[in-house]
Amino acid sequence: MTRRLVRAGVQLAIFASFVTLLVVVLDNRFRVLPASIHGHLPSHYNGLVVTDVTVVTCSSVNVFSSCKPNPQTAWSQVEKDLYLRTGWTSSAFVRFERKKEEELLASDQVVIDLKISRLVPEYSDKPEDEKETWEQRPGGIWLKRTAKRHASDSQKAITAVDVLFGADAVDPRIGWEVKDTPLLLDSRTEALEARISVRRGDPTKTKKPVPRINENGRFKIMQLADLHLSTGLGACRDPVPAESIPGQKCEADPRTLEFVERLLDEEQPDMVVLSGDQVNGETAKDAQSALFKSVKLLVDRKIPYAAIFGNHDDEGDLSRLELMTILEDLPYSLSRAGPEEVDGVGNYYVEVLGRGSTQHSALTLYLLDSHSYSPDERQFRGYDWIKPTQIHWFKNTAHSLRTKHHEYTHMHMNMAFIHIPVPEYRDSRNYYRGNWSEAPTAPGFNSGFKDAMEEEGILFVSCGHDHVNDYCMLNRDHEEKPSLWMCYGGGVGFGGYGGYGGYVRRVRFYDFDMNPGRVMTYKRLEHGETEGRIDEMMIIDGGTVKGPDPEL
């Protein structure tokens, strides 16, 4: 009896499996299951898929022309004028239709490829790719669409569309691809190099990296100060030399990024700090395109990075909060907006864990927003300052972390990064090493942040802002003991000013050796002594601030 029941159970299981397989195969071809059931089945992408893409033009003086899609339809719009707001009365936008898989009708087709071309794109050599034909849309857009069932589950399915600008446009987001050819709507979109970027498949959730001291006890931070990237190639300001290659015109952003790329490969930093003015707002009519360029090289090399803003980042079309929202979602980004109740955007800290598997922090980096221009030009001309709410947040955070840091059986170090220097950078009575080529444009009001850093055990602070200054200055306490190093990163970008007697762009590094508790800092040049470590010096020894060697 038992054997007969087992046999019947096996036969029933086989039959049920066969029926299930048959239903899945039929649904895959003919969609036999109702939408209510189908929506709960496993699929590659259970969100929205693109079913059409087009370009529309509109005019502010034509009452019959609308620059917004009908909200009653499934059409969305990339809210970027393809003319970058240069048209007197006309604008153009990319629109795309998206639907949920369970809402797809029999007449709907899913976009599986998109190309930009004046002519019909060449067909693939693969027979399976020839079943769908290319469909033309305005702006030189060609779509390949399919009505094949479950096409929305495929890695080929396009699920999102965006627009970037510039011949050097890049997209660091996982799963996104910038089209090689700009939109061919007219001469203006071609000149602005308006490019479509598409995402295929399910959006990938990026896991925040966890920086950690290497097994040999070393950790290297690269500071990128004042990249000043534009929308498009950008214009060089005060380049030295005028042409890196004789006969080749200087293009700001490509030259800046070639310099950064060379140092990334030679120095192989463990982390990068972008210390403000990544975006040159005045020449970045699409700030997203400029911001993407600032991190693409880091994403490609899987290097964690943290960013703060300068006084130019939000002078384009995006606010600080909008820029930080983009940064927070990018791969390998450690950037955060910080507490809403604290002044500014980008007040946060990053913990670098100790070597091995410990969950204790070996390094703490405090990053603060130094804002932009003075809110009181009549009394304090120039630039803004660190606010009381920020200092309060900083001190409270340092206090809250102190107990946990003391539990770490090895050495722990604290440092800070800001964009605009604190007023103490002006004190010429202090020892300093490096170039002091321009007057430090620190704020006229001293809010006391330097004192707060010393009280909370910050060993060094590094800033940007004044491009041609690259010195490190030693502050001493009331007992004349070394208490804090205050360093400049030195301007990196050719889109920002140089000059002052032939300034060569440079990058500062901080090389930590946790075994003896030492920090070495030095700079690398874009031109001239490109192999050397300029002004190399030890600023921390035994986990404490170290004064200059007697011979220096």
Side-chain angles (χ1 to χ4, degrees):
M1 182 68 180
T2 304
R3 184 180 300 174
R4 187 179 303 166
L5 289 174
V6 171
R7 186 186 304 117
V10 170
Q11 291 172 342
L12 183 61
I14 293 173
F15 177 74
S17 300
F18 174 77
V19 171
T20 303
L21 180 61
L22 180 63
V23 169
V24 170
V25 171
L26 289 173
D27 184 65
N28 189 55
R29 297 192 55 151
F30 305 108
R31 200 179 184 99
V32 298
L33 291 174
S36 59
I37 296 177
H38 191 269
H40 295 285
L41 290 177
S43 65
H44 169 71
Y45 182 64
N46 57 6
L48 299 167
V49 291
V50 175
T51 56
D52 205 350
V53 182
T54 191
V55 174
V56 296
T57 56
C58 53
S59 172
S60 58
V61 296
N62 184 350
V63 295
F64 299 104
S65 173
S66 175
C67 290
K68 295 290 184 182
N70 186 343
Q72 304 301 318
T73 68
W75 284 88
S76 300
Q77 180 168 287
V78 180
E79 293 299 338
K80 292 185 180 183
D81 179 8
L82 299 180
Y83 300 137
L84 284 176
R85 305 174 298 283
T86 59
W88 286 96
T89 60
S90 60
S91 300
F93 296 92
V94 169
R95 288 183 184 173
F96 54 97
E97 185 184 44
R98 288 202 299 180
K99 291 185 176 182
K100 292 182 178 180
E101 185 190 22
E102 60 267 25
E103 296 173 352
L104 291 174
L105 305 175
S107 58
D108 287 324
Q109 294 181 298
V110 175
V111 179
I112 57 173
D113 203 357
L114 182 152
K115 292 184 182 294
I116 310 296
S117 176
R118 298 187 191 278
L119 304 174
V120 180
E122 295 182 2
Y123 283 89
S124 170
D125 294 333
K126 300 178 181 178
E128 62 270 21
D129 292 342
E130 295 183 3
K131 295 177 182 178
E132 291 82 23
T133 59
W134 288 102
E135 304 174 39
Q136 189 174 16
R137 298 290 186 271
I141 296 175
W142 293 86
L143 303 178
K144 184 177 282 189
R145 303 193 299 165
T146 181
K148 188 183 299 182
R149 294 301 90 195
H150 296 303
S152 57
D153 298 346
S154 168
Q155 286 282 5
K156 290 184 178 180
I158 292 177
T159 55
V161 178
D162 205 349
V163 174
L164 299 171
F165 293 85
D168 56 347
V170 292
D171 199 327
R173 295 173 292 185
I174 296 175
W176 286 80
E177 170 198 354
V178 182
K179 294 302 172 180
D180 294 336
T181 305
L183 285 164
L184 305 172
L185 186 63
D186 54 37
S187 59
R188 284 184 292 174
T189 60
E190 292 182 51
L192 293 168
E193 297 270 1
R195 296 171 183 268
I196 285 184
S197 185
V198 299
R199 183 187 68 207
R200 298 179 188 274
D202 200 344
T204 304
K205 292 184 178 180
T206 56
K207 186 178 179 181
K208 290 290 182 182
V210 180
R212 184 181 291 278
I213 302 296
N214 296 308
E215 286 302 320
N216 61 0
R218 307 295 290 270
F219 193 84
K220 186 185 293 185
I221 295 176
M222 179 183 192
Q223 180 185 354
L224 293 177
D226 299 273
L227 287 168
H228 281 269
L229 299 172
S230 300
T231 301
L233 302 177
C236 289
R237 297 180 61 185
D238 313 310
V240 176
E243 298 176 343
S244 56
I245 300 176
Q248 182 175 310
K249 179 185 175 182
C250 180
E251 295 173 328
D253 291 6
R255 186 165 169 181
T256 297
L257 295 173
E258 285 172 11
F259 174 40
V260 171
E261 184 173 27
R262 173 170 66 83
L263 293 188
L264 285 171
D265 292 340
E266 291 178 2
E267 293 282 344
Q268 297 187 351
D270 299 291
M271 179 179 171
V272 171
V273 173
L274 299 151
S275 59
D277 283 356
Q278 290 76 248
V279 176
N280 192 54
E282 183 181 356
T283 59
K285 292 187 176 181
D286 182 56
Q288 182 185 21
S289 294
L291 187 66
F292 278 2
K293 290 191 288 187
S294 73
V295 302
K296 183 64 164 66
L297 294 174
L298 312 180
V299 172
D300 288 348
R301 289 161 177 77
K302 301 180 180 180
I303 300 173
Y305 56 92
I308 50 177
F309 299 126
N311 51 295
H312 291 294
D313 287 291
D314 58 353
E315 292 179 339
D317 65 323
L318 296 178
S319 68
R320 274 167 141 73
L321 185 57
E322 289 170 325
L323 289 166
M324 186 58 80
T325 299
I326 293 172
L327 277 169
E328 286 179 328
D329 287 336
L330 291 179
Y332 301 99
S333 174
L334 298 166
S335 310
R336 287 184 286 161
E340 292 183 5
E341 66 274 13
V342 178
D343 286 287
V345 177
N347 300 296
Y348 62 105
Y349 65 93
V350 173
E351 299 269 54
V352 179
L353 302 184
R355 74 182 88 180
S357 59
T358 180
Q359 292 305 303
H360 287 289
S361 164
L363 305 175
T364 302
L365 285 66
Y366 292 92
L367 301 103
L368 291 94
D369 183 0
S370 53
H371 314 288
S372 294
Y373 305 99
S374 172
D376 186 359
E377 277 286 342
R378 293 182 61 183
Q379 188 172 1
F380 303 107
R381 298 190 62 179
Y383 293 93
D384 209 343
W385 49 87
I386 304 293
K387 307 294 182 174
T389 61
Q390 294 175 278
I391 296 176
H392 181 72
W393 166 83
F394 164 69
K395 292 178 73 70
N396 281 352
T397 302
H399 287 164
S400 67
L401 293 174
R402 188 170 299 154
T403 301
K404 190 173 182 181
H405 292 164
H406 285 167
E407 293 174 358
Y408 185 46
T409 55
H410 301 284
M411 201 172 301
H412 181 275
M413 302 188 203
N414 298 309
M415 63 231 62
F417 289 90
I418 52 179
H419 178 70
I420 298 172
V422 292
E424 286 79 4
Y425 273 73
R426 294 194 187 103
D427 194 344
S428 58
R429 297 169 298 176
N430 286 336
Y431 168 85
Y432 68 91
R433 186 177 179 188
N435 295 308
W436 184 333
S437 301
E438 61 175 313
T441 55
F445 177 75
N446 193 333
S447 62
F449 184 52
K450 189 273 295 182
D451 294 339
M453 286 191 287
E454 289 181 322
E455 291 169 7
E456 300 305 330
I458 298 295
L459 301 175
F460 69 84
V461 58
S462 200
C463 71
H465 189 57
D466 299 323
H467 300 184
V468 301
N469 287 343
D470 70 355
Y471 60 82
C472 279
M473 173 179 285
L474 179 64
N475 195 73
R476 296 179 181 272
D477 62 18
H478 64 281
E479 296 179 350
E480 288 301 306
K481 294 180 179 179
S483 57
L484 178 72
W485 280 102
M486 300 178 292
C487 296
Y488 276 105
V492 181
F494 284 85
Y497 73 85
Y500 289 82
Y503 175 77
V504 176
R505 267 64 177 189
R506 60 202 61 200
V507 171
R508 181 175 288 280
F509 291 87
Y510 294 97
D511 194 357
F512 296 78
D513 187 345
M514 301 305 292
N515 299 303
R518 290 176 181 165
V519 180
M520 303 291 295
T521 186
Y522 55 90
K523 296 155 290 188
R524 295 286 305 274
L525 302 181
E526 194 265 348
H527 173 72
E529 195 180 341
T530 59
E531 302 298 323
R533 293 185 168 191
I534 309 303
D535 293 329
E536 185 172 21
M537 60 189 297
M538 186 187 300
I539 58 174
I540 308 297
D541 189 20
T544 60
V545 178
K546 181 185 182 300
D549 294 329
E551 63 269 19
L552 298 177

